[in-house]
Every structure is written in structure tokens, then in C-alpha cells.
Amino acid sequence: QVQLVESGGGLVQPGGSLRLSCAASGITFSIYAMAWYRQAPGKQRELVATITKTGSTDYLDSVKGRFTISRDNAENTVYLQMNSLKPEDTADYYCNAHFFKSDYWGQGTQVTVSS
């Protein structure tokens, strides 16, 4: 059984920081490309950050310089460090694992940025 379980979401003030975690099980984690997506109410799901099996990263323009995606293959976990948070970062955040025909999603974690 494949499971991706996100954690670390919550309420944070503008300018604050939050670290999201996504723990994977049931897959050979090290060969999967991992990603974080987000979806705000009334908006389309968007790709926030990706990290390949070799560690190459890419980011949504609006989060560059503020967010950092990383992975710990020993712990089968991908992280999203979010700094300098803005209200527009408010969304449900989902982790994704992809390898050829396999594509898996977590259930999501809510991030709310508000004063």
C-alpha cells in the first residue's frame, strides 16, 4: 500500500515560517521525483516545487527565494520549508510522487497565512 502523509500545516502570521513534511511508504522513495502542489479556494491547483531523484529543484516563480524543497531518502520524506509567508500562500498543500506510470498523492495539509 502506497501512502503519502503530509504534516506541518497550520496558521501562521505573514512573514512567518512553516515547514511541511511528507512521509512516504510503500514505494522505493529514492527513485521517485517528488513535488509539492497547492490549491487555494476557487483557484486551480498549481505546482509549487519539484525535486528530482538526483536532487535538482525547481520552483514556482512566486515562491522562489522563499521556499525550499528538500528530501531525506533515509527517512523517505520530502520537505517544504516556507519562509516569508504571504497571505496569498494560503492553500491546501499536497505532496506528489512520480515515477513513470506511478503517480501518487497525499491527502493534503492546510496552510493559512493571516494576521
Side-chain angles (χ1 to χ4, degrees), residues 14-83:
S17 297
L18 212 56
R19 189 180 77 159
L20 306 184
S21 300
C22 176
S25 60
I27 62 171
T28 304
F29 183 80
S30 62
I31 68 173
Y32 277 74
M34 301 296 297
W36 287 95
Y37 289 78
R38 69 185 182 188
Q39 187 168 28
K43 295 186 178 181
Q44 197 170 46
R45 184 184 65 191
E46 61 184 350
L47 179 61
V48 177
T50 61
I51 184 165
T52 70
K53 63 180 182 180
T54 61
S56 297
T57 60
D58 200 7
Y59 299 91
L60 180 68
D61 283 346
S62 62
V63 310
K64 286 182 178 177
R66 300 189 298 120
F67 290 13
T68 303
I69 188 171
S70 61
R71 65 192 297 160
D72 186 337
N73 288 344
E75 294 187 348
N76 290 175
T77 301
V78 63
Y79 302 94
L80 185 67
Q81 178 67 46
M82 304 184 293
N83 299 325

